[in-house]
């Protein structure tokens, strides 16, 4: 039911603007930026146990990660068990570090964690155990 004459017929729109699509993409970008979490990642993925409270870590610390396979990582670098004490001592003397943070996987053996704690005790370092905080 076209009541227009042939001269008044409207031609289809030949220009398409992307401004509405740009607005949607910008809004999605803002949404994802605001909802993403910015968490520092130490590089070695271990499942630390959960705790009700957490201790504040000092700026100067040595980070030792223990995997379930019994591997040790000192500040992200793999270190053999035999050389761990020497490497921790070198880092302590180099940077005047007084704290050691153990990031042991929950499936790691207690013997490996105790080994690291003994090294820290012999170097007069305070020992902190990294955990994830549980929210209720």
């Amino acid at each position: 039911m076209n009541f227009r004459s042939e001269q008044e017929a409207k031609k289809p729109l030949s220009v398409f603007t992307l401004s509405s699509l740009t607005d949607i993409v910008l809004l999605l970008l803002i949404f994802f930026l605001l909802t993403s979490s910015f968490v520092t990642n130490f590089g070695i993925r271990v499942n630390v146990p959960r705790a009700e409270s957490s201790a504040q870590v000092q700026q100067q610390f040595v980070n030792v990660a223990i995997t379930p396979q019994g591997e040790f990582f000192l500040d992200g670098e793999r270190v053999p068990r035999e050389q761990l004490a020497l490497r921790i001592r070198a880092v302590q003397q180099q940077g005047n570090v007084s704290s050691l943070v153990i990031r042991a996987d929950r499936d790691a053996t207690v013997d490996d964690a105790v080994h690291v704690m003994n090294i820290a005790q012999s170097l007069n370092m305070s020992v902190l155990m990294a955990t994830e905080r549980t929210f209720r």
Side-chain angles (χ1 to χ4, degrees):
M1 303 220 9
N2 190 2
F3 295 112
R4 296 186 183 137
S5 65
E6 292 294 322
Q7 296 171 351
E8 295 177 4
K10 293 191 173 187
K11 295 181 181 177
L13 184 63
S14 62
V15 178
F16 181 74
T17 60
L18 294 175
S19 61
S20 60
L21 183 63
T22 307
D23 292 341
I24 292 171
V25 170
L26 181 64
L27 288 174
L28 286 173
L29 177 68
I30 291 171
F31 172 76
F32 287 119
L33 284 176
L34 292 177
T35 58
S36 65
S37 62
F38 298 101
V39 178
T40 57
N41 192 354
F42 286 98
I44 293 87
R45 186 76 180 142
V46 291
N47 295 321
V48 294
R50 297 186 179 271
E52 294 297 324
S53 63
S54 61
Q56 294 296 325
V57 179
Q58 299 173 3
Q59 291 294 340
Q60 296 292 328
F61 62 90
V62 177
N63 184 22
V64 177
I66 305 171
T67 64
Q69 295 80 22
E71 298 174 327
F72 296 94
F73 290 87
L74 179 64
D75 291 331
E77 182 182 338
R78 188 167 188 262
V79 177
R81 183 182 180 107
E82 302 80 27
Q83 296 179 3
L84 189 61
L86 295 173
R87 298 286 294 275
I88 291 175
R89 179 179 290 140
V91 171
Q92 181 194 27
Q93 292 172 350
Q94 198 175 46
N96 197 14
V97 179
S98 63
S99 298
L100 184 133
V101 177
I102 299 175
R103 299 189 77 246
D105 192 280
R106 68 179 72 165
D107 296 328
T109 62
V110 177
D111 184 50
D112 292 336
V114 170
H115 177 68
V116 176
M117 289 179 196
N118 286 336
I119 293 170
Q121 182 70 29
S122 67
L123 295 173
N124 294 325
M125 299 176 75
S126 61
V127 178
L128 299 170
M129 184 72 136
T131 60
E132 288 183 6
R133 188 168 184 183
T134 57
F135 297 100
R136 291 186 181 185

